[in-house]
Amino acid sequence: MTGNSSLNAFIFAPLALGSIRPLGWLGDQMHLMSNGLAGHEYDFYPIISDSKWLGGQSEYSVLNEGIPYWLNGLVPLAYGLDDDRLKRQTAQVVDYILHHQQSDGWLGPEVPADRDIYARFPLCLALMQLVEADPPTASQVLPALYKFISLMHTMVAKNIGYDQFWGRVRYPDMIITLQWLYEKHPGTDTNRLLETMSLLTQRGLHWADYYTRANFIFKDLDTIQPPITVRSPVFPHVHAVNAAQGRRVEGLHTCSRFSNDDSLLESTRNGVNWTLSFHGDPAGSITGDERESGRAPNRGYESSIKLFKHNGILLTLYE
């Protein structure tokens, strides 16, 4: 299939999953994960083994994000290590999800009244990586992706299933998959892919608006009164995992790949520098359990703050 290259090019092109093997420290860490909890959750952890995505009853959140998050980590672990056991787990879960895709294209266990598109973002990232690492899976995965994207396009156009801030602040995860399809597997309706990118961006929460001296919070959030809570208007931008993703948002697609607005590159630089300088720790992560915290040495951070991934994406964009 002929690819489409009309998006602005990466400075450094990402390598396909599985094209290199982890060695040294990274290899050691991935083997520890494979042999430890991460590599065995499918065997015993109800959120995975009894997930609603797999016909079970367990989930820790109304967002139904357990399986998508797990699968988005399992695929690179399985194929990065070329681990047959983990690849079998991946195949079993993906087969079940795709064989239970709903007739209108929806991926997941939700009935129409309860649908929110957010948890599909990490799921689609997992499916994208699977096709990169195991090309024969494309015949099963790509039709399912396109069927879902057609439905998502309609939903977002009608303001359905895209009202919670989780999806509206993390939409770049979906943009990654859409751009990958546009360039690598464009199908026959590239306009729908472009329109979906545009709709998600237009109706999302824009990090460039927060990464300004007037709006960015430079103070230690633990000292602000009244405390910033989940109901505060600024919370989507100071949620620690969101902040980690915000490091790549404008640079990834809105500026250098999609809108050609080069001013947003400076916004991304400011966001990275300010976040780490005022809400980071010496190891280079962002402090915070849910909401960002101060820089005191007794403050920790969530393991889901995926800075390695976000920094890697940023490196594809800057010289």
Side-chain angles (χ1 to χ4, degrees), residues 129-180:
Q129 294 180 89
L130 179 61
V131 171
E132 284 189 333
D134 191 0
T137 62
S139 62
Q140 179 187 25
V141 170
L142 294 180
L145 278 176
Y146 269 103
K147 191 173 182 181
F148 167 70
I149 289 167
S150 178
L151 173 64
M152 179 175 62
H153 176 277
T154 300
M155 290 176 65
V156 178
K158 295 180 178 179
N159 283 318
I160 299 171
Y162 192 47
D163 51 351
Q164 296 193 60
F165 72 74
W166 302 109
R168 294 177 62 218
V169 81
R170 300 184 184 186
Y171 66 90
D173 277 351
M174 192 66 223
I175 298 289
I176 295 172
T177 301
L178 292 169
Q179 290 187 349
W180 172 78

Side-chain angles (χ1 to χ4, degrees), residues 61-65 69 116-119 121-122 161-174 204-205 207 230 235-243 245 290-291 302 304:
S61 164
V62 295
L63 296 172
N64 286 331
E65 61 184 358
Y69 259 122
D116 184 274
I117 63 173
Y118 158 62
F121 299 172
Y162 192 47
D163 51 351
Q164 296 193 60
F165 72 74
W166 302 109
R168 294 177 62 218
V169 81
R170 300 184 184 186
Y171 66 90
D173 277 351
M174 192 66 223
L205 298 176
W207 286 92
V230 69
F235 183 82
H237 289 118
V238 298
H239 181 274
V241 179
N242 291 350
Q245 292 189 282
E290 295 294 321
R291 196 211 69 201
E302 291 187 52
S304 56

Side-chain angles (χ1 to χ4, degrees), residues 158-295:
K158 295 180 178 179
N159 283 318
I160 299 171
Y162 192 47
D163 51 351
Q164 296 193 60
F165 72 74
W166 302 109
R168 294 177 62 218
V169 81
R170 300 184 184 186
Y171 66 90
D173 277 351
M174 192 66 223
I175 298 289
I176 295 172
T177 301
L178 292 169
Q179 290 187 349
W180 172 78
L181 286 169
Y182 186 83
E183 293 183 306
K184 304 294 186 180
H185 303 278
T188 59
D189 193 358
T190 54
N191 284 337
R192 185 181 299 275
L193 295 174
L194 293 171
E195 288 173 5
T196 307
M197 294 181 213
S198 180
L199 286 168
L200 289 169
T201 303
Q202 291 170 11
R203 298 180 182 181
L205 298 176
H206 298 149
W207 286 92
D209 296 336
Y210 179 64
Y211 291 155
T212 65
R213 292 191 178 276
N215 294 327
F216 188 86
I217 298 178
F218 294 94
K219 294 181 179 179
D220 181 338
L221 272 69
D222 285 348
T223 68
I224 294 176
Q225 296 295 328
I228 295 174
T229 70
V230 69
R231 291 183 173 83
S232 303
V234 74
F235 183 82
H237 289 118
V238 298
H239 181 274
V241 179
N242 291 350
Q245 292 189 282
R247 293 160 61 111
R248 74 170 187 248
V249 172
E250 309 297 350
L252 174 64
H253 64 91
T254 309
C255 74
S256 65
R257 304 217 71 211
F258 191 58
S259 73
N260 296 310
D261 184 353
D262 288 341
S263 70
L264 294 176
L265 281 169
E266 185 62 24
S267 167
T268 301
R269 290 191 180 95
N270 287 341
V272 171
N273 293 333
W274 294 347
T275 301
L276 287 182
S277 296
F278 295 94
H279 308 294
D281 70 3
S285 189
I286 299 171
T287 58
D289 178 4
E290 295 294 321
R291 196 211 69 201
E292 289 174 338
S293 303
R295 301 196 67 196

